[in-house]
Amino acid sequence: MKGVLYVISGPSGVGKTSIIEATLKRVKNLVFSVSCTTRPRRPSETEGKDYFFVDFDHFKKMIQNDEFLEWAIVHNHYYGTPKKFVEDQLDQGKNVLLDIDVQGAMTVMKKAKEAVYIFIAPPSFDVLKQRLINRGTETKENLERRLDDAKKELSYIPVFEYIIVNANLQESVDQLCSIIVAEQLKVKRVIDRLGVHRFFENGGETNEQTGR
Ligand code: 5GP
């Protein structure tokens, strides 16, 4: 009984963290995968909740020990998804949400075709720029880098299955919750989870018409 893996990407400043936090409060049986990063911690962030903040040597050892499902260099820092946590949770039937950049999403796509890929986009590039400036977490140089990277990230939109245009936080949260729930109601997933016998009188014999 495996859970569903949801991969969320989108440019820095688009509002992923707020959407994800609200969604985690609303959807049952959904857990967030906390990444490792070499980026310095922001004052608002908590170790183990937002990220595991590690130094480069530690990160390098984790790469060597094959401890990441994926990792990438994003805005000049290393970020990676610890593999064991994700696998354990999925094996226990929990649904897992990743917030990773498009490079990471491409790596996961090669390994987990059955995962659900969701892109969060800004209403426009100008809105994104203004949000990043208002957030006030970046130096001028970092801001320029994040905006350059955002242009590249937006070019990957066609590779994703779903897109949420984040013009309004509440609507975006509703949309993400809808995607998550709808994916769990796909016939294949329900039958994998509950067993086909649940729905048929013949107790799980193959259905003659569908062959399933
Ligand atoms: P921030 O530094 O603003 O928290 O995150 C910068 C970017 O790194 C975001 O786009 C975020 O999705 C991405 N990111 C966070 N964790 C991971 C990870 O484990 N792997 C990859 N590839 N990207 C990540």
Side-chain angles (χ1 to χ4, degrees):
M1 203 183 84
K2 271 215 151 201
V4 182
L5 181 62
Y6 297 93
V7 180
I8 300 197
S9 291
S12 179
V14 77
K16 279 172 296 178
T17 309
S18 309
I19 297 172
I20 288 170
E21 276 177 5
T23 300
L24 287 166
K25 286 190 189 134
R26 258 175 55 183
V27 180
K28 278 186 288 182
N29 204 34
L30 180 68
V31 293
F32 180 67
S33 159
V34 178
S35 296
C36 293
T37 183
T38 61
R39 164 170 79 59
R41 189 174 67 80
R42 295 178 189 139
S44 61
E45 290 177 325
T46 309
E47 162 75 21
K49 175 182 168 283
D50 297 291
Y51 285 104
F52 297 109
F53 296 94
V54 299
D55 61 24
F56 177 63
D57 284 345
H58 188 115
F59 199 98
K60 210 165 64 183
K61 279 208 186 78
M62 289 182 76
I63 296 175
Q64 284 160 357
N65 295 338
D66 193 26
E67 288 181 53
F68 289 122
L69 175 63
E70 63 71 39
W71 63 271
I73 302 172
V74 191
H75 319 312
N76 270 8
H77 296 288
Y78 286 74
Y79 294 79
T81 305
K83 188 160 56 179
K84 190 172 182 322
F85 175 82
V86 174
E87 288 178 350
D88 287 352
Q89 296 295 314
L90 291 175
D91 284 344
Q92 289 167 30
K94 292 255 170 58
N95 303 304
V96 181
L97 207 148
L98 307 186
D99 168 359
I100 60 178
D101 86 314
V102 291
Q103 307 170 74
M106 296 303 114
T107 306
V108 179
M109 256 178 220
K110 289 189 199 123
K111 298 181 176 178
K113 299 234 174 342
E114 70 292 351
V116 181
Y117 296 87
I118 305 159
F119 194 93
I120 306 203
S124 71
F125 194 79
D126 283 347
V127 170
L128 180 71
K129 186 173 178 181
Q130 204 49 53
R131 280 188 194 158
L132 257 181
I133 293 169
N134 293 349
R135 195 168 82 174
T137 54
E138 308 305 322
T139 60
K140 193 169 181 304
E141 192 196 341
N142 282 347
L143 184 78
E144 295 299 330
R145 183 182 306 122
R146 280 176 184 251
L147 288 172
D148 273 350
D149 289 345
K151 286 181 196 149
K152 288 180 208 134
E153 300 224 27
L154 291 166
S155 73
Y156 280 84
I157 288 174
V159 179
F160 285 74
E161 286 176 278
Y162 291 100
I163 180 165
I164 294 173
V165 179
N166 184 26
N168 172 286
L169 176 64
Q170 201 46 56
E171 273 175 27
S172 299
V173 174
D174 289 345
Q175 289 172 4
L176 182 56
C177 291
S178 303
I179 294 167
I180 290 172
V181 173
E183 281 290 333
Q184 284 168 30
L185 298 179
K186 282 191 164 164
V187 168
K188 191 186 170 310
R189 291 210 171 99
V190 174
I191 285 181
D192 281 352
R193 210 163 53 232
L194 301 179
V196 74
H197 54 276
R198 163 95 60 131
F199 305 104
F200 301 116
E201 258 185 337
N202 63 13
E205 296 291 311
T206 307
N207 181 302
E208 279 176 25
Q209 273 156 16
T210 63
R212 283 191 265 181

